[in-house]
């Protein structure tokens, strides 16, 4: 630095500038080798199946001065752009699909720049193969011509296929589909197609074979998976014919006819032979080997056989000619040959129709008598029929046919040449039925087959049938239903059964009989089938209304059938309704009905339905009766004993009612009975308080006032006792035990004194009469038990009365008697009171109070309701 100071200023600035320029070094890429994923992309290889958009590389370099660098990619003119780069990060992305088969190397110019200097390098990127190509057959279609005499195992064609892939993906193996069904095999590596060992081709059996060949590659990776591709093609193998098959006659066997009017030289028939080798056939040469006896000749080229003599000169009726057909090659040599037999029959003109013959000559009517239902397949041996046609050859050929009911018989033979014995065989035994047809008539028809005249003749076949016992008597119905009134006398007809047997004579006569557990009371006429009751039989629907048994119909041979008979005995109104007793006594509580019941012993409705009615009652208009149930209740306006007492002057409430029970039968029966009804009034609470409430039932406010006063007195007494106990305990500073207070409250002496005036006894009659008795008797009768003496029990306090209502007493059906006690106390309380033994005591109290209220009302002049 000291040395520099001696330079001139301009020279110093130049040197500084030179130093600064030399200090700006160019950036450069890192060279990290072939397997690196960052650097300058040198020696980078990518598989062709790499997906577009994949990050394939990162350009990486640096600037010696540490300045930021920018990356770039460039391509030569006309080249496809496969990659893009992030100029700042250097990330290289695939933007175009790779295809190794089209371009296996890609040249890219990579660059790095620090802003002042740019460094570029040309790199080659190798495109690696992926198994993305399928094998392809070349030079298709494959059509092969193979002579049929090619030896087995010979190769007949080579198949080639190519795969653009490399490695295992480009290697190809061949195989055939349906290897077991065809006659060929293929070399899996070379593709050579061969005929299987031990197999030969035959033009006459199959002229073309279609062989399906499959070419498959060795497989390889594609997008991460192992893929195997294949292709198929069809090889058409055309078999070429070779002269290896003798000629063949067509249309055998051969028959010809010479008629009596045929002219000499006329053609009889033509034989035809073809070369068995149809692909390259040779011409055929015909000749007669033997059998013609100088009467026939054949055309060597056409095979037409002609007669060379007149028919009357022919000595034989049938000639059998042996004809030879030989192959003639193009060189004129005779190679293969074959033989055929030609039968020629000499016949006269068709001038005779078929004719039927019997034992004595021509006959056109044949009769036979036989039993019905012969076995199927049996021959009608009684018919001796012969048919004959005097013509010869085809003129004597005719068919036989039965015309009549179809499917019954069949005729054998059906086709006749010249003459035959006619046989008729049973085909349907069931159709040969005497009951359907007593006589079967058929036409036996003989008609020529191949003649233009179609001569024919007929004969009548008449078959008369004899009857057999082949039918079972059959009832007109499987069951019979009958009805008979129970009052029918013995011997009455019930029902007639009918069975028929279509057989004739004794076999068709039917005899009837009955049996079974239900047949004891019945008989049947053996001929008419009328079922009637035993003379002594008495039917009773109430005892048994249903009978059933079986009836049997039998013919003379013991063949029978059965039917079932159901007999219903109809009920007749022969019983009157019956009461248990002619005079009955019942106690009626006001508001509750009493019920009578009569039973009718008849079995069915309406004979056993009973209707009830009141015939007589004194006084009238007191009771109602339910017609169906027999329930008797008071008229709706009678709600208390007071009303009953106003109806009659007699205070006795036991009334007699004459009731009638009448059934609904026709004619109708009825029964009457006398019913004595003791009317009482139900009280749910018994005692003095209940009696008081009964007296005040028509004035509820009065009862409410009395109850309010009683409750006020009880409250006052309770206050006084509490005050006394309070002052007593205060003086002694002790609290008395509760049980001592309860003991004082349960002292019954005061109540016994108050109730002495309620002693009474109940008379034995139904009307309640109250009499004041002494103390001992009242104690005995208080619980309705004269055997055990029990201390009197205080009555239960009634519930608070309901609020007063202005509705009339008859408008509210829920109230039986509009009294305070009766309307407020539930029924179940009454049941509990009865169980406790309070019933007679409460009745006595209520009755005593009632009598006192009646006296008071009489004194003040108030009406009693």
């Amino acid at each position: 630095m000291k040395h520099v100071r001696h330079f001139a200023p301009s020279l110093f600035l130049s040197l500084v500038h030179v130093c600064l320029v030399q200090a700006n070094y160019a950036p450069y890429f890192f060279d990290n080798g072939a397997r690196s994923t960052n650097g300058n992309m040198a020696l980078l290889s990518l598989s062709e199946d790499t997906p577009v958009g994949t990050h394939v590389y990162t350009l990486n370099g640096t600037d010696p001065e540490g300045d930021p660098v920018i990356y770039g990619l460039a391509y030569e003119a006309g080249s496809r752009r496969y990659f893009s780069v992030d100029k700042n990060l250097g990330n290289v992305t695939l933007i175009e699909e790779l295809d190794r088969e089209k371009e296996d190397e890609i040249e890219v110019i990579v660059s790095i720049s620090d802003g002042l200097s740019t460094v570029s390098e040309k790199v080659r990127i190798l495109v690696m193969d992926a198994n993305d190509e399928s094998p392809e057959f070349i030079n298709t279609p494959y059509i092969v011509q193979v002579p049929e005499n090619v030896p087995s195992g010979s190769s007949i064609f080579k198949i080639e296929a190519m795969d653009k892939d490399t490695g295992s993906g480009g290697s190809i193996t061949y195989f055939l589909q349906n290897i077991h069904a065809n006659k060929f095999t293929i070399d899996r590596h070379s593709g050579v197609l061969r005929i299987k060992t031990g197999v030969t081709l035959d033009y006459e059996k199959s002229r073309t074979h279609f062989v399906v060949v499959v070419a498959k590659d060795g497989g390889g990776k594609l997008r991460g998976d192992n893929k195997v591709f294949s292709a198929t093609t069809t090889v058409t193998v055309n078999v070429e014919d070779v002269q290896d098959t003798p000629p063949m006659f067509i249309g055998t066997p051969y028959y010809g006819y010479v008629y009596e009017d045929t002219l000499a030289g006329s053609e009889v028939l033509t034989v035809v032979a073809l070369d068995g080798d149809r692909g390259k056939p040779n011409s055929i040469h015909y000749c007669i080997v033997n059998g013609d006896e100088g009467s026939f000749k054949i055309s060597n080229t056409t095979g037409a056989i002609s007669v060379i003599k007149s028919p009357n000169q022919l000595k034989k009726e049938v000639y059998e000619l042996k004809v030879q057909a030989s192959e003639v090659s193009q060189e004129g040599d005779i190679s293969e040959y074959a033989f055929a037999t030609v039968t020629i029959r000499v016949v006269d003109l068709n001038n005779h129709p078929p004719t039927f013959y019997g034992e004595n000559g021509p006959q056109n009517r044949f009769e036979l008598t036989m039993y019905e239902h012969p076995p199927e397949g049996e021959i009608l041996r009684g018919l001796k029929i012969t048919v004959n046609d005097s013509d010869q050859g085809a003129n004597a050929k005719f068919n036989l046919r039965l015309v009549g009911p179809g499917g019954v018989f069949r005729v054998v033979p059906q086709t006749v040449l010249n003459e035959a014995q006619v046989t008729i065989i049973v085909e349907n035994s069931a159709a040969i039925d005497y009951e359907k047809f007593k006589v079967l008539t058929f036409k036996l028809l003989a008609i020529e087959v191949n003649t233009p005249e179609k001569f024919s003749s007929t004969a009548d076949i008449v078959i008369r049938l004899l009857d057999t016992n082949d039918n079972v008597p059959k009832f007109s119905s499987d069951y019979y239903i009958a009805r008979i009134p129970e009052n029918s006398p013995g011997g009455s007809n019930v029902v007639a059964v009918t069975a028929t047997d279509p057989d004739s004579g004794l076999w068709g006569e039917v005899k009837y009989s009955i049996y079974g557990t239900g047949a004891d009371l019945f008989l049947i006429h053996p001929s008419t089938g009328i079922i009637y009751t035993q003379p002594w039989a008495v039917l009773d629907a109430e005892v048994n209304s249903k009978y059933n048994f079986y009836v049997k119909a039998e013919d003379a041979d013991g063949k029978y059938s059965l039917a079932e008979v159901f007999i219903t005995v109809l009920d007749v109104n022969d019983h009157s309704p019956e009461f248990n007793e002619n005079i009955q006594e019942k106690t009626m509580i006001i508001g509750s009905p009493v019920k009578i019941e009569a039973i009718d012993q008849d079995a069915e409705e309406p004979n056993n339905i009973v209707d009830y009615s009141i015939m007589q009652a004194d006084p009238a208009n007191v009771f109602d009766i339910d017609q169906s149930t027999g329930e008797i209740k008071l008229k709706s306006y009678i709600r208390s004993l007071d009303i009953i007492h106003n109806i009659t002057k007699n205070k006795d409430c036991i009334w007699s009612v004459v009731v009638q029970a009448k059934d609904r039968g026709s004619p109708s029966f009825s029964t009457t009975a006398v019913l004595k009804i003791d009317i009482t009034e139900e009280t749910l609470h018994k005692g003095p308080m209940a009696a008081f409430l009964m007296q005040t039932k028509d004035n509820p406010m009065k009862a409410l006032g009395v109850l309010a006063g009683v409750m006020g007195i009880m409250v006052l007494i309770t206050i006084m006792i509490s005050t006394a106990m309070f002052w007593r305990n205060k003086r002694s500073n002790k609290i008395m035990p509760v049980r001592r207070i309860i003991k004082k409250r349960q002292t019954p002496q005061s109540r016994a004194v108050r109730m002495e005036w309620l002693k009474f006894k109940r008379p034995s009659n139904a009307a309640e009469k109250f009499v004041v008795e002494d103390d001992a008797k009242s104690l005995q009768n208080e619980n309705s038990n004269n055997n055990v003496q029990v201390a009197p029990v205080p009555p239960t306090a009634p519930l608070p009365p309901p609020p007063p209502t202005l509705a009339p007493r008859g408008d509210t059906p829920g109230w039986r008697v509009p009294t305070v006690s009766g309307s407020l106390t539930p029924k179940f309380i009454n049941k509990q009171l009865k169980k406790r033994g309070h019933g007679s005591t409460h009745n006595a109290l209520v009755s005593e109070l009632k009598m006192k209220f009646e006296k008071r009302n009489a004194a003040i002049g108030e009406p009693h309701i």
Side-chain angles (χ1 to χ4, degrees):
M1 292 297 293
K2 293 180 179 180
H3 181 74
V4 174
R5 292 176 182 173
H6 294 88
F7 290 123
S10 59
L11 179 61
F12 178 78
L13 292 175
S14 299
L15 290 174
V16 171
H17 178 72
V18 170
C19 292
L20 289 175
V21 171
Q22 290 178 350
N24 183 19
Y25 293 101
Y28 59 91
F29 285 106
F30 296 123
D31 187 0
N32 295 325
R35 296 186 178 182
S36 175
T37 59
N38 63 80
N40 60 353
M41 288 184 71
L43 302 177
L44 174 65
S45 61
L46 293 176
S47 177
E48 64 176 330
D49 61 348
T50 303
V52 174
T54 303
H55 174 214
V56 296
Y57 199 81
T58 301
L59 294 177
N60 192 6
T62 185
D63 183 69
E65 289 80 19
D67 294 331
V69 295
I70 297 174
Y71 302 98
L73 290 176
Y75 299 87
E76 293 183 357
S79 299
R80 297 181 64 181
R81 300 176 58 84
Y82 286 94
F83 305 98
S84 65
V85 64
D86 186 312
K87 63 180 182 179
N88 296 318
L89 301 178
N91 293 333
V92 178
T93 304
L94 180 67
I95 61 174
E96 184 71 24
E97 186 175 355
L98 302 177
D99 189 349
R100 187 201 65 82
E101 286 73 28
K102 294 180 180 179
E103 191 173 358
D104 58 355
E105 289 186 358
I106 301 173
E107 290 187 352
V108 181
I109 300 173
V110 298
S111 63
I112 184 172
S113 173
D114 60 358
L116 295 176
S117 300
T118 300
V119 176
S120 299
E121 297 180 9
K122 180 184 287 188
V123 295
R124 287 186 178 182
I125 299 171
L126 301 179
V127 179
M128 306 303 294
D129 186 42
N131 190 24
D132 61 343
E133 297 290 335
S134 298
E136 294 182 1
F137 290 95
I138 61 176
N139 300 325
T140 58
Y142 297 135
I143 300 175
V144 185
Q145 304 292 333
V146 181
E148 64 176 335
N149 59 353
V150 171
S152 63
S154 301
S155 60
I156 59 175
F157 191 69
K158 183 176 181 180
I159 298 160
E160 293 187 38
M162 296 182 61
D163 193 320
K164 297 178 181 179
D165 293 319
T166 60
S168 63
S171 63
I172 297 175
T173 56
Y174 304 90
F175 61 92
L176 302 181
Q177 288 186 352
N178 301 324
I179 184 65
H180 300 290
N182 56 54
K183 297 184 176 184
F184 305 93
T185 184
I186 193 172
D187 187 284
R188 62 191 307 266
H189 299 293
S190 65
V192 174
L193 187 67
R194 291 184 175 87
I195 300 174
K196 282 184 179 180
T197 303
V199 176
T200 58
L201 304 180
D202 192 342
Y203 176 85
E204 286 71 33
K205 293 182 180 179
S206 179
R207 301 182 183 182
T208 304
H209 299 274
F210 299 98
V211 183
V212 179
V213 181
V214 179
K216 183 174 68 173
D217 64 19
K221 292 290 184 177
L222 178 64
R223 298 182 181 90
D225 296 328
N226 189 39
K227 295 291 184 179
V228 177
F229 292 99
S230 63
T232 61
T233 188
T234 301
V235 180
T236 303
V237 180
N238 293 323
V239 181
E240 295 179 344
D241 190 24
V242 176
Q243 288 296 328
D244 59 352
T245 306
M248 299 171 56
F249 281 96
I250 305 301
T252 58
Y254 295 111
Y255 294 97
Y257 301 93
V258 177
Y259 300 98
E260 59 183 350
D261 59 346
T262 302
L263 299 177
S266 299
E267 183 178 325
V268 178
L269 78 160
T270 299
V271 296
V272 178
L274 299 176
D275 186 358
D277 302 307
R278 303 292 179 85
K280 297 177 180 179
N282 290 327
S283 59
I284 303 297
H285 178 270
Y286 301 94
C287 65
I288 297 176
V289 177
N290 56 42
D292 62 322
E293 297 183 4
S295 300
F296 301 91
K297 67 175 182 178
I298 189 170
S299 173
N300 295 331
T301 56
T302 64
I305 298 176
S306 303
V307 59
I308 58 178
K309 293 181 180 180
S310 61
N312 56 3
Q313 293 177 335
L314 298 178
K315 298 178 181 180
K316 298 174 63 176
E317 184 178 345
V318 177
Y319 291 86
E320 290 187 355
L321 311 181
K322 185 177 182 180
V323 178
Q324 175 180 315
S326 305
E327 293 184 21
V328 180
S329 65
Q330 295 179 357
E331 293 79 12
D333 299 330
I334 295 177
S335 56
E336 302 288 340
Y337 55 87
F339 297 97
T341 299
V342 178
T343 302
I344 299 176
R345 182 181 295 274
V346 180
V347 295
D348 60 351
L349 293 176
N350 184 28
N351 50 10
H352 297 91
T355 305
F356 293 100
Y357 295 88
E359 293 180 342
N360 300 319
Q363 187 175 334
N364 59 5
R365 181 180 176 88
F366 299 87
E367 295 186 5
L368 174 67
T369 300
M370 60 180 291
Y371 284 102
E372 62 177 339
H373 302 304
E376 293 183 1
E378 181 175 315
I379 298 173
L380 303 186
R381 302 188 184 278
L383 294 175
K384 298 183 183 292
I385 307 172
T386 303
V387 63
N388 175 269
D389 191 328
S390 300
D391 293 321
Q392 299 298 319
N395 293 332
K397 187 176 182 181
F398 56 91
N399 289 337
L400 289 177
R401 189 161 50 121
L402 272 179
V403 179
V408 180
F409 298 99
R410 61 186 176 92
V411 63
V412 176
Q414 295 182 352
T415 301
V416 179
L417 184 63
N418 291 117
E419 183 177 315
Q421 182 75 31
V422 178
T423 302
I424 297 179
I425 301 175
V426 176
E427 193 170 40
N428 185 359
S429 177
I432 308 173
D433 193 346
Y434 176 84
E435 286 71 33
K436 296 179 180 178
F437 308 101
K438 293 179 174 54
V439 178
L440 294 174
T441 302
F442 296 87
K443 289 283 187 181
L444 183 57
L445 175 62
I447 182 170
E448 292 178 348
V449 178
N450 297 321
T451 62
E453 297 83 8
K454 299 291 183 182
F455 289 143
S456 65
S457 61
T458 61
D460 293 328
I461 308 295
V462 179
I463 301 175
R464 305 184 187 279
L465 298 179
L466 300 177
D467 192 22
T468 61
N469 188 20
D470 60 332
N471 291 286
V472 176
K474 185 176 182 181
F475 282 97
S476 59
S477 176
D478 292 334
Y479 57 90
Y480 295 88
I481 299 175
R483 297 176 177 83
I484 182 172
E486 64 177 339
N487 60 352
S488 300
S492 299
N493 290 345
V494 180
V495 66
V497 298
T498 304
T500 57
D501 190 328
D503 291 322
S504 62
L506 295 177
W507 294 327
E509 295 180 1
V510 179
K511 181 181 179 181
Y512 300 96
S513 60
I514 60 174
Y515 65 94
T517 56
D520 297 339
L521 299 181
F522 303 93
L523 296 173
I524 188 170
H525 193 283
S527 300
T528 63
I530 297 176
I531 299 175
Y532 53 93
T533 60
Q534 294 272 11
W536 47 264
V538 177
L539 302 178
D540 191 346
E542 289 75 36
V543 177
N544 189 1
S545 63
K546 303 290 184 182
Y547 296 90
N548 71 291
F549 50 85
Y550 290 95
V551 59
K552 178 180 179 181
E554 185 176 11
D555 64 14
D557 273 355
K559 294 185 176 181
Y560 67 91
S561 62
L562 300 177
E564 195 166 3
V565 179
F566 299 89
I567 298 176
T568 301
V569 179
L570 300 177
D571 184 43
V572 176
N573 192 20
D574 55 354
H575 290 83
S576 301
E578 294 181 2
F579 290 100
N580 293 335
E581 297 178 3
N582 292 333
I583 300 178
Q584 302 183 34
E585 294 185 1
K586 291 185 180 290
T587 301
M588 176 183 289
I589 300 173
I590 295 177
S592 299
V594 296
K595 184 177 181 180
I596 61 173
E597 184 177 8
I599 298 175
D600 194 312
Q601 297 296 333
D602 287 315
E604 298 179 0
E605 298 180 358
N607 297 334
N608 58 5
I609 298 178
V610 180
D611 293 331
Y612 301 93
S613 62
I614 296 176
M615 303 299 294
Q616 183 180 354
D618 187 17
N621 297 325
V622 174
F623 299 100
D624 286 330
I625 188 168
D626 189 295
Q627 178 181 355
S628 301
T629 64
E631 288 186 350
I632 300 175
K633 56 185 178 181
L634 294 171
K635 295 286 186 178
S636 59
Y637 67 89
I638 301 176
R639 299 190 178 184
S640 66
L641 287 175
D642 298 339
I643 300 175
I644 296 175
H645 292 161
N646 288 340
I647 294 175
T648 176
K649 296 180 180 180
N650 186 5
K651 299 302 182 180
D652 190 354
C653 293
I654 297 180
W655 289 345
S656 296
V657 179
V658 179
V659 294
Q660 181 189 59
K662 184 178 181 181
D663 63 26
R664 296 184 184 180
S666 179
S668 179
F669 294 100
S670 63
T671 304
T672 59
V674 177
L675 178 64
K676 293 184 178 181
I677 300 177
D678 181 4
I679 302 177
T680 62
E681 188 171 23
E682 180 182 20
T683 55
L684 301 180
H685 295 281
K686 301 178 181 180
M689 183 59 69
F692 169 73
L693 293 176
M694 287 292 295
Q695 294 294 333
T696 60
K697 63 182 182 300
D698 295 328
N699 193 354
M701 297 304 297
K702 183 177 180 181
L704 289 174
V706 173
L707 290 176
V710 172
M711 293 177 66
I713 293 172
M714 292 177 66
V715 171
L716 181 60
I717 293 173
T718 303
I719 293 173
M720 293 175 63
I721 293 174
S722 300
T723 304
M725 294 297 296
F726 171 75
W727 286 107
R728 180 181 177 184
N729 293 333
K730 187 176 181 181
R731 292 176 182 176
S732 61
N733 292 327
K734 292 181 181 181
I735 298 177
M736 299 300 293
V738 175
R739 55 189 177 89
R740 294 178 62 186
I741 298 174
I742 295 175
K743 199 170 184 181
K744 290 182 180 181
R745 291 174 61 89
Q746 291 182 349
T747 304
Q749 291 138 2
S750 61
R751 186 172 185 83
V753 174
R754 288 200 303 266
M755 294 183 62
E756 288 180 358
W757 62 279
L758 293 174
K759 304 296 187 288
F760 71 95
K761 74 172 184 178
R762 182 173 180 176
S764 60
N765 58 357
E768 293 186 358
K769 298 180 181 179
F770 302 94
V771 179
V772 179
E773 299 288 340
D774 57 306
D775 296 344
K777 292 183 178 180
S778 64
L779 290 174
Q780 292 177 1
N781 293 331
E782 196 170 61
N783 286 328
S784 300
N785 189 349
N786 295 327
N787 296 325
V788 181
Q789 294 184 3
V790 182
V793 180
T796 304
L799 296 176
T805 177
L806 300 178
R809 289 181 293 176
D811 295 340
T812 307
W815 287 13
R816 290 197 291 272
V817 180
T819 61
V820 174
S821 62
S823 62
L824 293 179
T825 306
K827 292 182 180 180
F828 69 89
I829 297 179
N830 185 28
K831 293 180 181 179
Q832 293 175 357
L833 293 175
K834 288 182 180 180
K835 290 181 180 180
R836 294 175 183 175
H838 297 255
S840 59
T841 304
H842 289 182
N843 285 335
L845 292 175
V846 172
S847 300
E848 186 70 20
L849 290 175
K850 181 177 180 183
M851 292 175 64
K852 291 186 178 183
F853 275 108
E854 286 179 354
K855 292 179 181 180
R856 189 192 66 177
N857 292 335
I860 62 177
E862 293 181 359
H864 177 69
I865 299 176

